[in-house]
C-alpha cells in the first residue's frame, strides 16, 4: 500500500479508512501507538499523533495533516500488513462471491472490531480461534487477488452492505446449528449474514 500523499491528505478524529489503518501501523512501528489496529481515528490515535508531533517539534494538534504525514512517511515505511491480512481473509472466505459479497465479509470483520463482543483490532478478530474457516483450513494462506484487496479497501473505507452484521455462513454447507438459528439480516451470494 502506498503512503498517503502528504500534500493531499488530512486525517483526523472520526475518520475510518485504509489511510488511518496505515497511520496506526506507522505509529505502532515507531512506538507511539499501543492499541489495536482498527482503521478508525479515535481518541487513542489522536493521542498517538499528538505524541509523535511533540517529539518531532511539530504543532501538536492531534491531526495528521500534510506536515505530520510527510514527517511520518520519512520515519516509518508503510507496510500495509493489516490490509494484506484482511485481503487474505476475504480471498479465503469469499473468493467465489461477487465483489459486494467480498466487501460484506470485510465489513463483518470491521463490525466485530467495533463490537464489545469481539477483540478490538483487525488482526485479533481475523485470528480469533474458531471464527473463520479460512484460518482453520489454511485457505488464508492462498495469495489474495487484486479484487480481494479492492474489497478490503472498500470495507476499510466504510462500505458495509450488511448493515452491521457480525456473522455470516453458507447455509448449503454450514453444520453449526447455532449459526442456522440466528435470524438472517440479508443474503449476498452464498452467504447469509446475521447479528
Amino acid at each position: 500500500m502506498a503512503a498517503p500523499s502528504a500534500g493531499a491528505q488530512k486525517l483526523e478524529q472520526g475518520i475510518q479508512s485504509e489511510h488511518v489503518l496505515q497511520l496506526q501501523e506507522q505509529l505502532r512501528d515507531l512506538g507511539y501507538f499501543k492499541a489495536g489496529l482498527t482503521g478508525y481515528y479515535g481518541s487513542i490515535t489522536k493521542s498517538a499523533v499528538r505524541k509523535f508531533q511533540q517529539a518531532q517539534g511539530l504543532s501538536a494538534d492531534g491531526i495528521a495533516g500534510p506536515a505530520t504525514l510527510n514527517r511520518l512517511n520519512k520515519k516509518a515505511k508503510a507496510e500495509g500488513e493489516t490490509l494484506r491480512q484482511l485481503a487474505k481473509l476475504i480471498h479465503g472466505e469469499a473468493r467465489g462471491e461477487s465483489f459486494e459479497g467480498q466487501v460484506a465479509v470485510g465489513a463483518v470483520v470491521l463490525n466485530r472490531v467495533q463490537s464489545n463482543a469481539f477483540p478490538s483490532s483487525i488482526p485479533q478478530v481475523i485470528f480469533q480461534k474458531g471464527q473463520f474457516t479460512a484460518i482453520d483450513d489454511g485457505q488464508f494462506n492462498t495469495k489474495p487477488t487484486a479484487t480481494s484487496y479492492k474489497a478490503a479497501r472498500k470495507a476499510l473505507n466504510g462500505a458495509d452492505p450488511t448493515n452491521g452484521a457480525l456473522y455470516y455462513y453458507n447455509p448449503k454447507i454450514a453444520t453449526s446449528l447455532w449459526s442456522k438459528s440466528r435470524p438472517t439480516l440479508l443474503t449476498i451470494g452464498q452467504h447469509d449474514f446475521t447479528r
Side-chain angles (χ1 to χ4, degrees):
M1 172 163 72
S5 165
Q9 189 94 38
K10 180 172 98 170
L11 303 172
E12 58 191 324
Q13 197 160 355
I15 294 173
Q16 178 179 335
S17 76
E18 66 181 288
H19 298 297
V20 173
L21 179 63
Q22 176 184 325
L23 172 72
Q24 291 172 339
E25 287 182 328
Q26 289 174 298
L27 289 167
R28 178 202 60 198
D29 292 348
L30 293 171
Y32 293 98
F33 187 78
K34 295 179 169 70
L37 300 168
T38 63
Y40 179 76
Y41 202 119
S43 59
I44 295 171
T45 303
K46 182 177 181 176
S47 176
V49 168
R50 188 178 288 129
K51 288 176 186 172
F52 173 77
Q53 289 169 328
Q54 289 169 340
Q56 295 298 310
L58 299 167
S59 174
D61 59 4
I63 296 171
T68 300
L69 292 172
N70 187 40
R71 186 74 56 89
L72 188 61
N73 289 335
K74 289 179 180 175
K75 295 283 182 187
K77 183 180 177 196
E79 296 292 334
E81 177 61 21
T82 305
L83 173 67
R84 187 175 71 81
Q85 290 173 344
L86 185 58
K88 286 175 71 171
L89 182 76
I90 289 168
H91 182 74
E93 291 280 318
R95 66 181 166 272
E97 297 295 318
S98 67
F99 180 70
E100 180 186 31
Q102 291 183 41
V103 173
V105 167
V108 165
V109 171
L110 296 170
N111 292 340
R112 287 183 177 194
V113 169
Q114 297 302 321
S115 168
N116 291 331
F118 293 94
S120 60
S121 80
I122 294 167
Q124 289 173 328
V125 165
I126 289 172
F127 294 110
Q128 186 179 16
K129 188 169 177 58
Q131 295 298 306
F132 295 105
T133 305
I135 299 292
D136 296 340
D137 68 12
Q139 292 181 65
F140 177 80
N141 295 318
T142 59
K143 185 178 178 183
T145 63
T147 301
S148 300
Y149 273 101
K150 186 177 174 187
R153 284 188 176 97
K154 188 156 184 167
L156 279 166
N157 289 319
D160 182 5
T162 75
N163 296 313
L166 295 173
Y167 306 95
Y168 60 89
Y169 68 97
N170 182 332
K172 292 179 182 174
I173 60 172
T175 58
S176 166
L177 294 177
W178 181 86
S179 293
K180 292 179 178 183
S181 72
R182 303 186 71 77
T184 299
L185 297 173
L186 76 156
T187 300
I188 301 173
Q190 299 296 313
H191 288 136
D192 284 358
F193 291 84
T194 69
R195 277 206 186 111

